[in-house]
Amino acid sequence: MNRKETILLTDGLRRPDRILRAGLAAVAIAAVIGFGAIGCTKPGPGSAKSTDELLSQLQDDRTEIDKTSDTMMKRIEVFNSSRKPGERTLQFSEIFTQDLNPEQRDVLNALVEQEKDISYKTLLQKIIADRDSIRELQEKVAHLEQTLPDKFVVAKRGDRHEDLAMAYLTGEASLDAAKAKMLLSQVDQTDELLAGNKVWFFYDPQQDTFRTYVTQGDAGQTPIRVRRARQRQLVKERDAYKSERDTAQAEAVVLEQVRSQLESDIATRQNSLFYHAANAQNLRDQGVLSPVLKRLRDMKGLSFDESLDLRAGTSIDLVPQNFGLDQIRAVKLLPPVYQEGRDFSVETSEDYSSARVVILDPEIFKGKEVLLAIGG
């Protein structure tokens, strides 16, 4: 019983001077399927390698191109991030595009000459080395591709990999639709075909094997590069969403804390008695109390910055030293709408060294302001 095999290759470019990013050259080579191992097909002129060996070499070279391209892109990003506004930056495409004037083609060399920072000068030299490595690998890939018996078509806008492969299998390979669909069901295909991409096919009737893959062609970029760009965009959008979500959650926590604090402050205000306690003589001197009967005249200038939360307690303790007195013999609570003995009481110690105001009816004092006139 023969076994099925699948060969995966990444893409490369046949013309290294027309790439945007040489290393992202492939999407899928898909599959060699069917009964029997892949046999030796006729190698190109002057070559003794089998198709298996060529495909393996192509895979290795394109993987190396991909790795080198990724490294180069990261170095370009590091270099660009170091530039100040108005300074020259690098784009991956301009390093490889063919239709450039001599000045543009020498952009890297010019930047190396102009760069004063030794670290970034070294970085640019590494980018140049990456570029040269990619070009050498692309020449090697182009030569290897020419030795394969595979056929290709140039994709047009709207083409689908599956449709093109079906057309090849039922046309040039002369297979019926059912057989073609069976072969296609076992190979990798790409959903990101671009106009100008080359779509490759090879069917071996002797071994009943089929492979298909996509290279950049004249599209400017490969399907795998499009796929990775979309993935990066999705990751970027996901991270942006997470950041916005986390910020919104943090703001919600802060708002909840503020709301809770406000509610707590309001509740405290609504359930507290606010008072101003002062020496009765000083209050007369200020014109707050009348000089003779100690009646309240004007409280507008007073600040009621002391308070008693009536949910937690109902008494106010007073000591004479806080009011410039030696003793406390009397405490008057104003305005006189509040009655001693009904709404509140005043207790003084036997030696007059302290006094206490006791709130008897907390409900009528909640949220109110009173004056405590202390007499010595």
Side-chain angles (χ1 to χ4, degrees):
M1 177 68 67
N2 292 324
R3 60 185 178 87
K4 299 181 180 180
E5 296 184 1
T6 298
I7 297 178
L8 299 176
L9 290 179
T10 55
D11 180 28
L13 298 178
R14 300 175 67 86
R15 299 183 61 186
D17 58 348
R18 291 182 61 84
I19 67 169
L20 288 180
R21 186 176 179 189
L24 302 177
V27 172
I29 272 196
V32 178
I33 57 169
F35 295 98
I38 296 178
C40 295
T41 59
K42 184 178 179 180
S47 171
K49 291 186 176 180
S50 69
T51 300
D52 282 348
E53 292 171 327
L54 290 174
L55 291 173
S56 177
Q57 184 63 55
L58 278 171
Q59 181 178 358
D60 292 343
D61 291 343
R62 287 166 178 164
T63 298
E64 185 62 28
I65 288 171
D66 194 48
K67 289 170 56 180
T68 305
S69 297
D70 283 340
T71 300
M72 186 176 183
M73 282 294 295
K74 291 175 182 176
R75 286 173 175 161
I76 289 174
E77 289 173 1
V78 171
F79 177 78
N80 288 343
S81 67
S82 72
R83 301 299 90 183
K84 298 177 182 177
E87 290 186 335
R88 182 72 161 81
T89 58
L90 277 174
Q91 300 299 321
F92 188 93
S93 58
E94 68 183 340
I95 299 174
F96 288 96
T97 301
Q98 183 180 24
D99 301 327
L100 298 175
N101 60 44
E103 182 179 349
Q104 291 172 318
R105 283 197 295 270
D106 291 337
V107 60
L108 279 174
N109 293 332
L111 285 173
V112 170
E113 292 298 325
Q114 297 166 9
E115 183 58 48
K116 304 301 181 184
D117 189 307
I118 185 62
S119 298
Y120 293 118
K121 184 186 287 287
T122 301
L123 183 63
L124 286 168
Q125 290 170 339
K126 289 180 178 179
I127 292 174
I128 291 175
D130 291 338
R131 177 199 61 187
D132 294 341
S133 295
I134 291 171
R135 285 177 173 169
E136 289 176 4
L137 284 167
Q138 280 303 311
E139 290 176 0
K140 185 177 178 182
V141 165
H143 174 73
L144 288 172
E145 284 183 339
Q146 291 172 1
T147 66
L148 290 171
D150 304 35
K151 302 293 180 65
F152 71 86
V153 296
V154 178
K156 301 184 295 296
R157 184 179 300 276
D159 280 347
R160 298 173 63 244
H161 194 172
E162 180 180 5
D163 295 339
L164 297 176
M166 278 293 293
Y168 167 83
L169 288 170
T170 56
E172 184 162 342
S174 301
L175 299 178
D176 59 57
K179 175 68 173 180
K181 288 181 179 179
M182 186 274 292
L183 292 172
L184 281 176
S185 68
Q186 301 180 50
V187 300
D188 290 335
Q189 301 164 53
T190 179
D191 296 326
E192 293 91 1
L193 272 186
L194 302 173
N197 282 153
K198 288 183 177 180
V199 185
W200 297 78
F201 317 101
F202 179 73
Y203 174 68
D204 185 348
Q206 294 180 346
Q207 301 294 331
D208 194 23
T209 59
F210 174 64
R211 63 174 173 262
T212 180
Y213 52 97
V214 180
T215 59
Q216 176 175 307
D218 294 327
Q221 53 186 333
T222 60
I224 196 171
R225 185 176 179 187
V226 174
R227 184 182 301 169
R228 289 181 177 178
R230 289 176 181 172
Q231 290 172 341
R232 286 194 297 269
Q233 183 62 28
L234 288 174
V235 170
K236 184 178 179 181
E237 291 174 358
R238 180 203 65 190
D239 292 344
Y241 166 77
K242 287 183 177 179
S243 177
E244 292 174 0
R245 181 201 61 192
D246 293 345
T247 300
Q249 289 177 343
E251 290 175 350
V253 170
V254 172
L255 288 174
E256 177 60 25
Q257 292 173 343
V258 171
R259 185 191 65 80
S260 178
Q261 184 62 46
L262 287 173
E263 290 179 349
S264 176
D265 292 345
I266 291 171
T268 299
R269 178 83 186 177
Q270 292 174 339
N271 290 280
S272 294
L273 166 66
F274 296 86
Y275 64 93
H276 180 88
N279 187 312
Q281 182 60 50
N282 292 340
L283 292 171
R284 286 194 293 271
D285 294 342
Q286 296 169 8
V288 176
L289 299 179
S290 61
V292 179
L293 298 177
K294 297 183 181 179
R295 291 181 177 177
L296 186 63
R297 298 176 63 181
D298 185 6
M299 292 198 308
K300 291 181 180 178
L302 300 179
S303 59
F304 298 88
D305 49 8
E306 294 184 273
S307 64
L308 170 65
D309 189 339
L310 295 169
R311 296 170 299 179
T314 56
S315 62
I316 301 172
D317 292 325
L318 306 167
V319 293
Q321 291 79 12
N322 291 343
F323 309 103
L325 300 170
D326 295 326
Q327 298 176 333
I328 295 180
R329 290 182 172 271
V331 178
K332 191 172 183 64
L333 189 150
L334 300 167
V337 66
Y338 303 108
Q339 293 184 20
E340 186 174 357
R342 182 192 71 184
D343 303 326
F344 70 94
S345 65
V346 176
E347 303 171 355
T348 57
S349 62
E350 292 183 0
D351 58 359
Y352 306 111
S353 60
S354 65
R356 173 176 290 174
V357 176
V358 180
I359 303 301
L360 302 177
D361 187 355
E363 289 301 320
I364 67 172
F365 285 99
K366 287 181 177 180
K368 300 299 190 295
E369 296 175 343
V370 299
L371 173 64
L372 300 179
I374 315 300

